[in-house]
Amino acid sequence: MSASGLVYKHYGKEVITEYYPELKNEDSNLEWVFTKMYGSFMEAIDAIDTGVEPIPDNTDELELQYFDSTGLSARVGRTNPRWNEVDEATGKSPDPDARFEIASSMCGVDFLSVLTKIVESDLPARSIVEGAVQKRFECDESGEIICLPAGGLPWKSQLYELEHDLKVTTPIKFVLYTDQAGMWRIQCVSVEGKAFENRLSLPAKWRGVRDEDLSSVAGIEGCTFCHSAGFIGGNKSYEGVLKMGRVALKSQD
């Protein structure tokens, strides 16, 4: 661990409860936020500071495809005075202590923005997703479809964690929810650790088809669309979108 990681390990919970004192009386939630904050924010800083490569060097099969210079560590690095930088007002090299204050403020803003999302968005979402997972057999007897009360909440990372925590033996394939316009959507659950590989995609013959044409092809009333990549689709009703999920489970293509 880096110095910042060690500070977080020993004082992180105190910092979190300074901003969110209500978590002092919620041990399980505080522990979850503390761990989530490390994985979402501190771990990458530790890895970069201690020289851990993004891809293990003991394999010949993986190769870094691009470099990202927009992360916090890179932005902090750019606050250091350049080797040939001169302050126009003084004619001297910029004051490194002043630059440190800029970097420190930048880190604080980023830390708080991530913490705010975790506590005020991810934590409430977790309880909703947990309820949907626990009621998955009420949604469909397969246990492979869950229904959320609304779209927009961050469910993906929550779902993977909850499957492990609740010992879900059959992975969930589809999530149903409504969008801002009230349309019902069915979204595929991606393979854990993969952004573009689904556990099960919507049927190939549906992909790129819309409205009445899709309803005809699928044999399901009220269909509105199916993305050409097969990861998401829509229907005018809950019954319709649920049927899309059930048909997709049986297709297994």
Side-chain angles (χ1 to χ4, degrees):
M1 299 179 78
S2 67
S4 58
L6 289 170
V7 170
Y8 181 77
K9 178 180 179 180
H10 291 285
Y11 300 106
K13 291 181 181 177
E14 292 182 31
V15 173
I16 291 168
T17 54
E18 186 70 22
Y19 288 105
Y20 294 96
E22 66 273 17
L23 292 176
K24 289 181 180 179
N25 300 319
E26 302 175 9
D27 290 342
S28 61
N29 284 341
L30 177 57
E31 186 66 35
W32 186 83
V33 170
F34 175 77
T35 303
K36 185 82 170 178
M37 189 68 194
Y38 182 80
S40 300
F41 186 81
M42 297 301 307
E43 187 173 33
I45 295 173
D46 274 347
I48 292 170
D49 204 38
T50 55
V52 178
E53 295 288 352
I55 295 178
D57 57 8
N58 59 352
T59 177
D60 297 326
E61 297 181 3
L62 299 176
E63 182 179 347
L64 193 64
Q65 299 298 304
Y66 60 88
F67 293 93
D68 182 9
S69 62
T70 64
L72 179 60
S73 295
R75 288 186 287 121
V76 166
R78 287 196 290 272
T79 66
N80 289 317
R82 299 185 302 277
W83 68 273
N84 58 351
E85 186 175 358
V86 176
D87 189 316
E88 294 182 0
T90 65
K92 300 178 180 180
S93 178
D95 180 5
D97 289 338
R99 293 296 179 87
F100 176 83
E101 292 298 328
I102 294 173
S104 179
S105 176
M106 183 188 300
C107 291
V109 169
D110 274 27
F111 181 93
L112 185 56
S113 68
V114 174
L115 179 62
T116 298
K117 176 184 178 296
I118 290 173
V119 177
E120 298 185 19
S121 178
D122 293 347
L123 187 57
R126 180 179 173 80
S127 64
I128 295 173
V129 178
E130 182 175 5
V133 173
Q134 291 177 330
K135 295 179 179 179
R136 63 192 184 280
F137 292 105
E138 295 178 22
C139 181
D140 184 72
E141 63 181 11
S142 68
E144 297 177 73
I145 305 173
I146 64 171
C147 181
L148 301 177
L153 62 85
W155 56 265
K156 290 185 179 180
S157 63
Q158 320 287 5
L159 181 58
Y160 300 132
E161 291 178 8
L162 288 164
E163 284 182 328
H164 293 302
D165 293 347
L166 299 175
K167 295 179 173 54
V168 174
T169 55
T170 302
I172 293 165
K173 307 299 192 305
F174 302 115
V175 177
L176 313 180
Y177 58 86
T178 55
D179 62 17
Q180 293 181 338
M183 180 200 303
W184 277 96
R185 295 196 175 211
I186 176 171
Q187 185 167 344
C188 305
V189 179
S190 59
V191 174
E192 188 171 0
K194 303 282 188 179
F196 304 107
E197 181 182 344
N198 300 320
R199 289 174 171 175
L200 177 63
S201 297
L202 297 175
K205 63 182 180 180
W206 296 2
R207 300 172 197 172
V209 186
R210 300 186 63 89
D211 303 322
E212 291 83 2
D213 292 336
L214 178 56
S215 292
S216 177
V217 169
I220 302 169
E221 292 185 5
C223 292
T224 54
F225 80 100
C226 180
H227 194 278
S228 58
F231 78 96
I232 192 169
N235 195 286
K236 295 177 182 178
S237 71
Y238 169 72
E239 292 76 16
V241 82
L242 177 59
K243 190 170 182 180
M244 290 176 75
R246 288 171 172 169
V247 171
L249 284 177
K250 292 179 180 179
S251 67
Q252 298 287 318
D253 64 353

